[in-house]
Amino acid sequence: MSLLLELIRVVNLPYTVVFGLMLFYWFSVVLGIFDVDLFDFDVDDIDFGDELLGALNLGKVPFSLWLTIFSGQMTLYSLLFNKLIDVLFGTVSDPVRFIVCFVVFVPIAALITKIATSPMEKLFEIETISRKDFVGKECRVTSPEVNERSGVGEILVTGIPSILYIRAKAEEGLKKNDRAVIYEYNEEKDLFYVTRVEGLD
């Protein structure tokens, strides 16, 4: 209970909220609701600070992964920092606590996040593969069903699962774990049109 009270303490709350949202996001990714690349961006499209962002591995690994590691650290640092302030100095205003913690620990958290994500860079080099190349390949349905309005599938690219938004005619009757073949890709909407693999019920 004391940990929960510290997590929702005003001075710690911003970091707790961000970290909590990221945990909820990853839970949703596991369920197939969101794509792991939902929040991705290309640092080359940023006119200011792109070199610094690239040096921190932003744009090289999914931003959602980077932010999860970063916000998790900041939550921990804020908890420890404010407990230490309580013990050493007693009453210090929340704005002062927040500013000092932010200035001191954000660079540390960013550096450690860069170090932690560096070994993962090669895992995400598959993003250089054109999504058009998926046409003609099989995928596995991961959503409860697939129809003209909704559906999620998974395809293995160099052994790594990649989540796709797929659509199919309702009469195909595609359900979770069914195999389907991709026959068309809508680049504008980032949608893959699939049909049941021939020979399967």
Side-chain angles (χ1 to χ4, degrees):
M1 178 61 75
S2 59
L3 176 60
L4 177 60
L5 292 175
E6 286 297 321
L7 286 170
I8 62 175
R9 186 175 175 181
V10 173
V11 73
N12 297 324
L13 191 57
Y15 304 116
T16 301
V17 169
V18 174
F19 186 52
L21 287 174
M22 294 315 301
L23 292 180
F24 174 77
Y25 165 77
W26 284 110
F27 179 71
S28 300
V29 167
V30 171
L31 293 180
I33 299 174
F34 295 131
D35 191 336
V36 70
D37 301 325
L38 179 64
F39 300 117
D40 271 6
F41 62 91
D42 189 344
V43 296
D44 293 333
D45 296 332
I46 301 175
D47 296 328
F48 177 77
D50 56 329
E51 292 185 4
L52 175 60
L53 295 177
L56 293 174
N57 286 345
L58 281 163
K60 297 180 181 179
V61 299
F63 179 64
S64 50
L65 174 62
W66 196 97
L67 184 59
T68 301
I69 298 173
F70 177 82
S71 61
Q73 288 182 81
M74 288 305 301
T75 301
L76 177 62
Y77 297 155
S78 183
L79 286 171
L80 296 177
F81 174 76
N82 286 297
K83 289 298 291 185
L84 183 62
I85 292 297
D86 290 340
V87 172
L88 296 179
F89 302 105
T91 303
V92 177
S93 68
D94 285 346
V96 171
R97 289 169 180 257
F98 185 83
I99 292 172
V100 173
C101 180
F102 186 88
V103 170
V104 172
F105 291 106
V106 162
I108 295 173
L111 178 60
I112 292 178
T113 303
K114 180 226 174 6
I115 295 172
T117 55
S118 289
M120 306 177 192
E121 285 184 49
K122 290 187 177 180
L123 293 177
F124 299 100
E125 288 179 354
I126 61 171
E127 296 305 320
T128 59
I129 298 175
S130 172
R131 292 171 78 78
K132 293 180 181 178
D133 294 337
F134 295 162
V135 175
K137 298 185 181 299
E138 287 187 14
C139 67
R140 181 177 66 87
V141 177
T142 57
S143 56
E145 64 177 354
V146 183
N147 53 46
E148 294 93 338
R149 297 183 301 277
S150 66
V152 180
E154 179 182 88
I155 188 171
L156 291 179
V157 183
T158 63
I160 300 172
S162 180
I163 296 174
L164 313 174
Y165 294 104
I166 58 178
R167 300 290 184 267
K169 295 179 180 178
E171 52 264 34
E172 293 279 353
L174 288 168
K175 305 290 185 182
K176 188 170 184 178
N177 291 323
D178 283 347
R179 286 163 50 205
V181 62
I182 300 168
Y183 65 85
E184 184 181 345
Y185 173 55
N186 186 319
E187 186 172 3
E188 182 179 349
K189 296 181 179 180
D190 193 27
L191 290 177
F192 293 86
Y193 295 92
V194 304
T195 185
R196 179 179 293 275
V197 175
E198 292 184 7
L200 294 180
D201 295 330

